[in-house]
Structure formats: structure tokens, C-alpha cells
Amino acid sequence: VTLHKALGQAVKWHMIPRNVAEAVKAPRPSPEEIRPLNREQTKTLLEVAKKEDRFEALYVLAVTTGLRQGELLGLKWEDVALEDGVVRVRRTLARHKARLVLGDPKTKRSRRTVRLTQAAVQALEGHFARQTAQRDILGELYEHQGLVFATQRGTLVNPTNLRKRSFEPLLEKAGLPAIRFHDLRHTCATLLLSRNINPKIVSEMLGHATIAITLDTYSHVLPNMQESAARALEETLR
């Protein structure tokens, strides 16, 4: 892609007669394998997280809002309105030159407002209380940045450390298969679609650029939805 663009510019500048990259057939990327948890596995994960992990609220939000890992780790308390039951995605955690930084969301559609479940609100309330207590204990040593999910000292959470020190041990304690953190996002979408939630709503929750991305990614759920639609029509036309 980069070479094609560079040669295209060279053609415009009359440096070369044609863009030879246009004759190349680019390889098609393999479709991403998704491994979402089912309903019972998700409940097990959250039950164990409530007992074992200080990031319980992170996992509750992951499976009930579908936020990306970077979006979760980029959340600040100013983005959370517990009284209204919503969370606003305004930034994301990313790497820039080996440093963790907060930047703009992935796409324009990624900047969105997502409604919270009651369980998510309760988990966040408990998380806020524990975080406040930790801040009081550390005093001036705590680097307050307003982050919802931070290290014990209040700084940005390294995704690699989160995976190795929290997520992977949590899966093992819960007796669940090894999955990626991103599969929690897939879990949210799959659970919603399997309950016949409109794909347009799911797409908006996930912050997909188009609904086509949602339908292509979760096409494995659609056959069940079509069966439900057929049954609904049969009942309507009786």
C-alpha cells in the first residue's frame, strides 16, 4: 500500500511513466479467528473476577459494552456518568515510539456514548471506592491522572502487564480456554446478536465504521437470527 502510494505520487510528478504497483495482486488477509465466550463461560469469568481481581469492573465493562482494550484503559472518570448510566469514549490508549500515550479513538464512529448495565454501574462504584482508598494510602506518591483503570500508583496500565498479570491468570482460575482480551469484545457482540438485538445497535455500541463490518465479523450468529425471524413471521401470519 505504501509503495503504491509513493509510486502514484511519482507518476503525478512525472518522475516515472506508470505505477507498476498497480499490476500487483495484493494478498488477501486471512479472516480474524474469533473465540467468544458463551453465556455460562462469561458468567463464570465475571464471578471469579469479582472474587479474585481488582480489575473486576474492567472485565464487566469489556463484556457489557464491547469497548476495545485501548478504549477501556483510556477511560477517565470524567467520561463516566454513573447517575445517567453511560460511558463516553473520547480517547484510547496506544503505543507511540515505545511509549504509552492517550490519543484519539480509532475512527470517527469510535467516539461514542454507550449505556451501562446496572451490574457495570455497581462494579464501577465499587472500583471507585477501592481506588480512592488506595489513593489515600499512598498520598503524594499516587500520580492522580483521573484514569478509571490505572496501576496501583495511578499511572497508565501497560496492556502486556494486564494480559500477563491479570487476564491470563484470571482465565486459568476460572477454568476457561486461553483467549485474547479482544475476544471479550467479540463475546459482547455475539451475546447481543444471539438475543436478536438489532445489528445496527450492536454496530453503534462497538463503534464500527459501518454496519457491514459488524455483519461480516459476526456472520456465524446470523443463521440463528434468521431462524428466529422465520418463526416470528409464522406466528404473525397464523
Side-chain angles (χ1 to χ4, degrees):
V1 171
T2 303
L3 185 59
H4 185 279
K5 186 175 292 186
L7 293 176
Q9 187 62 54
V11 171
K12 293 178 182 178
W13 286 341
H14 305 291
M15 297 174 66
I16 55 177
R18 71 186 186 95
N19 187 344
V20 294
E22 291 180 347
V24 177
K25 185 177 181 180
R28 295 174 63 89
S30 301
E32 179 188 56
E33 180 185 359
I34 65 174
R35 291 176 292 173
L37 300 177
N38 60 34
R39 178 174 176 270
E40 293 304 318
Q41 289 174 323
T42 303
K43 290 173 64 177
T44 299
L45 176 76
L46 298 183
E47 288 169 0
V48 175
K50 187 172 184 177
K51 300 175 184 176
E52 304 281 348
D53 203 291
R54 74 181 187 90
F55 283 123
E56 175 210 355
L58 176 74
Y59 298 115
V60 173
L61 257 65
V63 299
T64 59
T65 65
L67 266 63
R68 301 175 178 91
Q69 184 183 52
E71 294 170 343
L72 289 164
L73 298 180
L75 280 179
K76 292 192 174 186
W77 285 112
E78 64 189 53
D79 306 322
V80 181
L82 293 179
E83 63 280 3
D84 297 327
V86 297
V87 61
R88 298 176 179 86
V89 180
R90 297 172 175 169
R91 65 189 68 81
T92 186
L93 180 70
R95 288 190 183 277
H96 179 67
K97 297 182 178 178
R99 292 179 61 247
L100 293 174
V101 296
L102 294 179
D104 293 330
K106 185 177 179 181
T107 65
K108 184 178 179 181
R109 288 286 185 91
S110 295
R111 188 179 291 272
R112 63 201 186 279
T113 298
V114 181
R115 183 155 294 280
L116 298 171
T117 64
Q118 189 57 40
V121 171
Q122 293 173 355
L124 283 169
E125 289 174 341
H127 181 75
F128 180 77
R130 290 188 292 273
Q131 191 181 76
T132 301
Q134 175 70 11
R135 190 172 65 198
D136 291 342
I137 293 172
L138 291 182
E140 294 182 355
L141 294 177
Y142 191 89
E143 300 180 35
H144 183 52
Q145 299 179 23
L147 295 166
V148 175
F149 303 111
T151 65
Q152 298 278 21
R153 294 178 58 247
T155 56
L156 293 169
V157 174
N158 186 316
T160 301
N161 291 341
L162 177 69
R163 184 183 74 250
K164 292 183 177 180
R165 300 175 187 176
S166 174
F167 186 52
E168 291 178 354
L170 178 62
L171 291 173
E172 187 174 348
K173 290 176 183 176
L176 296 173
I179 60 173
R180 303 162 305 167
F181 190 95
H182 196 70
D183 286 315
L184 297 183
R185 176 172 162 86
H186 294 316
T187 296
C188 175
T190 302
L191 291 176
L192 288 172
L193 290 170
S194 65
R195 295 300 297 268
N196 296 325
I197 301 300
N198 192 310
K200 176 64 174 176
I201 302 299
V202 177
S203 179
E204 291 175 353
M205 279 187 63
L206 298 180
H208 282 161
T210 67
I211 191 174
I213 295 175
T214 311
L215 296 175
D216 288 345
T217 305
Y218 304 107
S219 58
H220 64 288
V221 184
L222 299 182
N224 293 333
M225 294 178 64
Q226 292 175 4
E227 290 176 11
S228 298
R231 287 196 299 270
L233 281 172
E234 286 178 357
E235 293 175 0
T236 301
L237 298 175
R238 276 179 186 169

